Amino acid sequence: MKKRLSILLNGIIKENPVLVLILGICPALAVSTQTINAIGMGLATTFVLIGSNIAISLLRKSIPNKIRIPCYIVLIAGFTTIVQMVVEAYAYSLYLALGIFLPLIAVNCIVFARAEMFANKNGVLDSAIDAIGMGAGFTVALFLISSIREIFGSGTWFGLKLPVLNNNTIEAFTLAPGGFIAFGILIAIINKVSKGRAIKKDDFGCDACPSKAVCGKIKAQTELAKEGTN
């Protein structure tokens, strides 16, 4: 029980995909001008994470190692298509607000990373819990970024006008620079609270990359080809 609770909290706090691992920044900044849109993106990504993690965990022993990445892509794209169709059918305004970033969940590095680093090596229940934790962490990060941007940029929160702030907005927060400012503020707070231990240099090295195995094979093949031509 403690292990599974640790897996769940890992994605929300210790390895928050956006605020600690610095993954999925593009959609996090692009759709975070309004809190409702940010939560919608977070929930959509969580659905894809849960579906793909469960499917990959179930099929991990049946998928040949050499073609596992194309198989992951097909599964992730399938769940992304499902969530895109559901959002278009039942939340059309959200579908329009998220735009191209909704189908681009299929290539979100968070989803692929969890498939390669966790679902491919663990059971169905643990993989589902990991997906929920990572999805919740992604949603929380988007919620925090969007709250800062909407409150100070538009003077509203969840579309509701805020006294004083509504008439004293900072337009920069509604633009691209505002996303980076809000993101930087949150990163600074996390680093201050964790005393610089939240983000480790190892997180950005090859050992932490979900494509390490594939990249290594390609590099080896390239080196062999060079030796053959010399």
Side-chain angles (χ1 to χ4, degrees), residues 33 149 153-154 170-176 178:
T33 53
R149 297 183 69 184
S154 303
I170 304 173
E171 189 177 352
F173 278 102
T174 64
L175 305 174

Side-chain angles (χ1 to χ4, degrees), residues 111-188:
V111 182
F112 183 79
R114 301 324 295 172
E116 176 72 1
M117 298 176 67
F118 198 94
N120 186 41
K121 303 171 185 176
N122 294 274
V124 176
L125 183 56
D126 286 348
S127 296
I129 293 172
D130 175 75
I132 293 171
M134 283 290 167
F138 183 66
T139 304
V140 168
L142 262 67
F143 169 74
L144 294 174
I145 294 172
S146 62
S147 291
I148 293 174
R149 297 183 69 184
E150 184 178 358
I151 289 171
F152 292 102
S154 303
T156 61
W157 195 51
F158 284 97
L160 301 175
K161 293 184 178 180
L162 301 175
V164 182
L165 290 174
N166 184 248
N167 296 319
N168 297 278
T169 59
I170 304 173
E171 189 177 352
F173 278 102
T174 64
L175 305 174
F180 286 99
I181 293 170
F183 181 59
I185 290 171
L186 292 172
I187 292 293

Side-chain angles (χ1 to χ4, degrees), residues 46-206:
T46 301
F47 173 84
V48 176
L49 270 166
I50 295 172
S52 59
N53 263 25
I54 290 175
I56 290 167
S57 180
L58 285 169
L59 299 171
R60 71 185 191 279
K61 295 181 181 179
S62 302
I63 299 175
N65 189 54
K66 291 183 179 180
I67 61 168
R68 71 183 189 284
I69 293 176
C71 291
Y72 295 168
I73 293 172
V74 171
L75 289 169
I76 293 169
F79 285 106
T80 301
T81 301
I82 291 172
V83 76
Q84 182 182 357
M85 293 172 68
V86 170
V87 173
E88 184 178 8
Y90 296 101
Y92 191 66
S93 58
L94 178 62
Y95 173 79
L96 293 177
L98 297 181
I100 190 61
F101 293 99
L102 188 58
L104 283 179
I105 292 175
V107 293
N108 191 313
C109 50
I110 299 171
V111 182
F112 183 79
R114 301 324 295 172
E116 176 72 1
M117 298 176 67
F118 198 94
N120 186 41
K121 303 171 185 176
N122 294 274
V124 176
L125 183 56
D126 286 348
S127 296
I129 293 172
D130 175 75
I132 293 171
M134 283 290 167
F138 183 66
T139 304
V140 168
L142 262 67
F143 169 74
L144 294 174
I145 294 172
S146 62
S147 291
I148 293 174
R149 297 183 69 184
E150 184 178 358
I151 289 171
F152 292 102
S154 303
T156 61
W157 195 51
F158 284 97
L160 301 175
K161 293 184 178 180
L162 301 175
V164 182
L165 290 174
N166 184 248
N167 296 319
N168 297 278
T169 59
I170 304 173
E171 189 177 352
F173 278 102
T174 64
L175 305 174
F180 286 99
I181 293 170
F183 181 59
I185 290 171
L186 292 172
I187 292 293
I189 292 172
I190 289 173
N191 277 329
K192 180 66 176 179
V193 172
S194 66
K195 296 181 180 179
R197 293 192 298 269
I199 302 176
K200 301 177 182 178
K201 291 182 179 180
D202 293 344
D203 293 331
F204 301 95
C206 290

Side-chain angles (χ1 to χ4, degrees), residues 65 68-69 112 116 210-220:
N65 189 54
R68 71 183 189 284
I69 293 176
F112 183 79
E116 176 72 1
S211 301
K212 177 186 174 182
V214 179
C215 182
K217 290 178 181 178
I218 294 173
K219 185 176 180 180

